[in-house]
Amino acid sequence: MGSGPVIISAQLEIPDGEIVERFVRASGAGGQNVNKVSTAVELRFDVAGSPSLPEPLRERLLARRDRRMTGEGVLVIDAQRFRTQDRNREDARERLAAFIQAGLSVPKPRKATKPTFGSKLRRLDAKRGRAQIKRGRSSRDWE
């Protein structure tokens, strides 16, 4: 039923057997075909249980806050932008590849830093200056 593995990178590909595709009727404005043909694709990929994904990548993908991810770690992609089943299937697979590629980049760890002494002084001077301006206002200025 599938159209071959989804290539993510030179070292990583998702075999067809790990992807579940279901064809459903597309929602939206109708036409002569919309109620008869199932052109929309619902693609499901079990991120939590996939043996193809390396463990660090799996953890990064599961940690992402994405509305398409179920509580069990299954990614659900609905594709219904196009009028044909084949084009919607390609679109869903491209979106799956893009989702996984986004998890390939390892985020740079943040280093905790302290503000410099000079920046602290400048901030406090600006606060004092602003307070001075506000102190100079009277209630008559607002009428």
Side-chain angles (χ1 to χ4, degrees), residues 25-35 39 80 82-83:
R25 289 191 194 136
S27 64
Q32 292 179 339
N33 243 9
V34 75
N35 294 325
T39 55
Q80 58 182 16
F82 302 98
R83 292 176 56 133

Coordinates of all heavy atoms in Angstrom, one line a residue, residues 25-35 39 80 82-83:
R25 N -12.5 10.7 3.7 CA -13.1 11.8 2.9 C -12.6 13.1 3.5 O -12.5 13.4 4.7 CB -14.6 11.8 3.0 CG -15.1 10.6 2.3 CD -16.7 10.7 2.1 NE -17.2 9.5 1.7 CZ -18.3 8.9 2.2 NH1 -18.9 9.5 3.2 NH2 -18.7 7.8 1.8
A26 N -12.2 14.0 2.6 CA -11.7 15.3 3.0 C -12.9 16.2 3.4 O -14.0 16.1 3.0 CB -11.0 16.0 1.8
S27 N -12.6 17.1 4.4 CA -13.6 18.0 4.9 C -13.5 19.3 4.1 O -12.7 19.4 3.2 CB -13.4 18.3 6.4 OG -12.2 19.0 6.5
G28 N -14.4 20.2 4.3 CA -14.4 21.4 3.6 C -15.5 21.5 2.6 O -16.4 20.7 2.5
A29 N -15.3 22.6 1.7 CA -16.3 22.8 0.7 C -16.5 21.7 -0.2 O -15.5 21.0 -0.6 CB -15.9 24.1 -0.1
G30 N -17.7 21.4 -0.6 CA -18.0 20.2 -1.4 C -17.9 20.5 -2.9 O -17.7 21.6 -3.4
G31 N -18.1 19.4 -3.6 CA -18.2 19.4 -5.1 C -18.8 18.1 -5.5 O -19.3 17.4 -4.7
Q32 N -18.7 17.8 -6.7 CA -19.3 16.6 -7.2 C -18.6 15.3 -6.6 O -19.2 14.3 -6.4 CB -19.3 16.5 -8.7 CG -20.2 17.5 -9.3 CD -20.1 17.4 -10.8 OE1 -19.2 16.9 -11.4 NE2 -21.2 17.9 -11.5
N33 N -17.3 15.5 -6.3 CA -16.5 14.3 -5.9 C -16.4 14.2 -4.4 O -16.1 13.1 -3.9 CB -15.1 14.5 -6.5 CG -14.8 13.4 -7.4 OD1 -15.7 12.6 -7.8 ND2 -13.6 13.3 -7.9
V34 N -16.5 15.3 -3.6 CA -16.1 15.3 -2.3 C -16.8 14.2 -1.4 O -16.2 13.7 -0.5 CB -16.2 16.7 -1.6 CG1 -17.7 17.0 -1.3 CG2 -15.4 16.8 -0.4
N35 N -18.0 13.9 -1.6 CA -18.7 12.9 -0.8 C -18.6 11.5 -1.3 O -19.1 10.6 -0.7 CB -20.2 13.3 -0.7 CG -20.4 14.6 0.0 OD1 -19.7 14.9 1.0 ND2 -21.4 15.4 -0.4
T39 N -10.0 11.1 -0.5 CA -8.7 11.6 -1.0 C -7.8 12.0 0.1 O -6.6 12.1 0.0 CB -8.9 12.8 -1.9 OG1 -9.7 13.8 -1.3 CG2 -9.6 12.3 -3.2
Q80 N -4.9 16.9 3.5 CA -6.0 17.0 2.6 C -6.0 18.3 1.7 O -7.0 18.8 1.3 CB -7.3 17.0 3.4 CG -7.5 18.0 4.4 CD -8.8 17.9 5.2 OE1 -9.4 16.8 5.1 NE2 -9.2 18.9 5.9
F82 N -4.7 18.6 -1.3 CA -4.8 18.4 -2.7 C -6.0 17.6 -3.0 O -6.6 17.0 -2.2 CB -3.5 17.7 -3.2 CG -2.3 18.5 -2.9 CD1 -1.5 18.3 -1.8 CD2 -1.9 19.6 -3.7 CE1 -0.4 19.0 -1.5 CE2 -0.8 20.4 -3.4 CZ 0.0 20.1 -2.3
R83 N -6.3 17.5 -4.3 CA -7.5 16.8 -4.8 C -7.2 15.3 -5.0 O -8.2 14.6 -5.2 CB -8.0 17.4 -6.1 CG -8.5 18.8 -5.8 CD -8.9 19.5 -7.1 NE -9.8 18.7 -7.9 CZ -10.9 19.2 -8.4 NH1 -11.2 20.4 -8.3 NH2 -11.8 18.4 -9.0

